[in-house]
Amino acid sequence: MADIVTSGLRKIYPAPKQRRGLPGSGGPLGTIAPGARSASAQPGRDIVALNGLDLQVSDGEFFGLLGPNGAGKTTTIGILTTRVRPSGGEARVGGIDVMLDPVRVKQRIGVVPQRPNPDRSLTVRENMLFHAAYFGIPANVAQRRSSELLDMLGIGDRGEAKVNHLSGGQQQRLMIARALVHEPEILFLDEPTVGLDPQARLALWEILRSLHAEGRTIVMTTHYMDEADKLCERIGIVDQGKLLVCDTPNALKARAPGGTMIELTLDGPTAGLEPGTLRLPGVIKAESRGIELVVYAERAGEMIPGLIRLAEEAGRTVRDIRLTEPSLETLFVSLTGRKLD
């Protein structure tokens, strides 16, 4: 049974206004719309953040939305958590229409934002109690739940500390504890490990696995390949507001182009090198992308001398070589023509 459903979901942000005083502007001071890609945030052009997104997340599933910055991930989470109004389409969470009954949706969900946003004038425990009050939780119940959650997340000894005295990883744990204080059925996390050091990131992974094991539905956005691969039962890859593919990590990796991806960065344009590259034995696919030549080959190590020689014969110098085994990354590059980061 689907816990979350979107159908034809669209979100268009109004065109950013020109800044007063800039050459050729003449318009009032304006700001770029949230979630917009800088490349498309041009005066006079509306920004399409979501373009007909169809999505289903099952009850109890750990689901990941994978995509680069500006792909529409945060906008999707914003709509599903009732913070952003869609421009079209439908979205239901736990069978409830997010537009028609946002209050009931909020009662069923917990939200961990991309950047920790606690009240920094309060202590850790006060942040928990203040949030619990929003949901009408009695003070004695809120006290008990807060203590249990802070202990579970390893920051029980920091209850009386001010937020600014916490590390980045501890602040993110506080955000998860706060999101769980009203015992939601569904947990949304928007890029939860951005900015964390490797140790804090791995610790947070274990916390999320434990929460999922309790039966919660978890929806997480990320642009980290390994994070989506290791945590999520299914992954939807989004780019430019569209869902490109959706499946289990193993099934998606099986769809990646055969062979290792070889990326050669040259000192100039690679246009015109594809025909010669494709004639090399063992090459499956070759594409020119600016100063990068992307080649898929079965025996990558054996291919490199020939590729370097081909570039030099064209008057180019190889500046960098990168090898990537068949993975979510190679699938994404093959689908979009660009890297995830």
Side-chain angles (χ1 to χ4, degrees):
M1 175 175 141
D3 218 9
I4 298 166
V5 178
T6 72
S7 177
L9 199 60
R10 291 178 56 82
K11 178 60 182 178
I12 301 175
Y13 292 103
K17 298 177 182 178
Q18 293 176 322
R19 293 182 179 274
R20 191 193 308 273
L22 292 180
S25 65
L29 183 66
T31 57
I32 294 176
R37 298 175 61 187
S38 58
S40 62
Q42 300 176 12
R45 182 183 299 176
D46 289 345
I47 299 155
V48 180
L50 291 179
N51 190 10
L53 186 71
D54 295 330
L55 199 62
Q56 287 195 6
V57 179
S58 299
D59 184 22
E61 185 174 21
F62 198 141
F63 187 88
L65 273 180
L66 178 66
N69 292 329
K73 305 185 306 295
T74 294
T75 297
T76 301
I77 294 294
I79 291 173
L80 293 173
T81 57
T82 77
R83 294 182 299 106
V84 176
R85 293 179 64 87
S87 304
E90 296 181 355
R92 292 181 176 273
V93 175
I96 306 167
D97 190 305
V98 299
M99 290 286 287
L100 297 180
D101 201 346
V103 173
R104 284 181 64 207
V105 170
K106 289 176 182 176
Q107 291 170 344
R108 299 191 64 175
I109 65 174
V111 183
V112 179
Q114 189 174 93
R115 295 177 181 83
N117 61 353
D119 189 325
R120 297 183 179 276
S121 66
L122 302 178
T123 66
V124 168
R125 188 175 303 279
E126 287 169 343
N127 266 277
M128 295 288 292
L129 298 177
F130 193 70
H131 192 76
Y134 277 123
F135 293 91
I137 299 173
N140 61 328
V141 176
Q143 286 278 6
R144 175 178 54 78
R145 286 186 192 170
S146 296
S147 295
E148 291 172 352
L149 287 167
L150 294 175
D151 286 341
M152 181 186 77
L153 293 169
I155 52 174
D157 61 339
R158 307 293 286 158
E160 307 312 316
K162 288 295 181 71
V163 172
N164 285 337
H165 295 160
L166 303 182
S167 68
Q170 289 172 333
Q171 289 189 35
Q172 197 66 311
R173 292 181 186 213
L174 170 58
M175 293 298 93
I176 295 174
R178 188 185 70 175
L180 294 172
V181 74
H182 60 292
E183 300 184 334
E185 302 165 23
I186 305 168
L187 185 63
F188 290 95
L189 303 105
D190 191 9
E191 303 274 5
T193 62
V194 166
L196 298 186
D197 61 64
Q199 184 176 358
R201 189 165 170 242
L202 291 175
L204 191 56
W205 284 8
E206 290 308 311
I207 290 169
L208 296 180
R209 288 188 179 108
S210 297
L211 293 174
H212 179 235
E214 294 175 358
R216 284 188 176 85
T217 302
I218 298 179
V219 177
M220 178 183 74
T221 73
T222 182
H223 63 266
Y224 295 131
M225 299 283 184
D226 59 337
E227 189 161 86
D229 192 0
K230 290 182 171 64
L231 290 178
C232 301
E233 295 173 297
R234 279 196 311 138
I235 298 169
I237 297 181
V238 294
D239 190 38
Q240 298 183 357
K242 295 182 179 180
L243 182 67
L244 303 181
V245 289
C246 183
D247 214 325
T248 65
N250 287 338
L252 290 177
K253 284 184 284 188
R255 295 175 61 172
T260 298
M261 182 173 70
I262 310 168
E263 296 172 277
L264 289 89
T265 303
L266 309 187
D267 61 350
T270 61
L273 291 178
E274 303 101 307
T277 303
L278 288 169
R279 286 195 291 269
L280 294 174
V283 171
I284 300 170
K285 182 180 177 182
E287 297 178 20
S288 173
R289 297 173 185 157
I291 63 170
E292 286 192 343
L293 180 66
V294 180
V295 180
Y296 295 89
E298 293 295 349
R299 299 182 300 278
E302 298 176 15
M303 298 300 308
I304 292 174
L307 291 170
I308 294 175
R309 185 169 56 253
L310 189 70
E312 290 175 343
E313 289 173 354
R316 299 298 182 200
T317 300
V318 177
R319 297 297 190 192
D320 187 39
I321 299 175
R322 181 174 177 235
L323 305 181
T324 306
E325 295 295 326
S327 63
L328 292 176
E329 182 174 2
T330 59
L331 173 63
F332 185 84
V333 172
S334 71
L335 289 172
T336 67
R338 64 195 184 98
K339 298 178 184 177
L340 186 63
D341 295 327

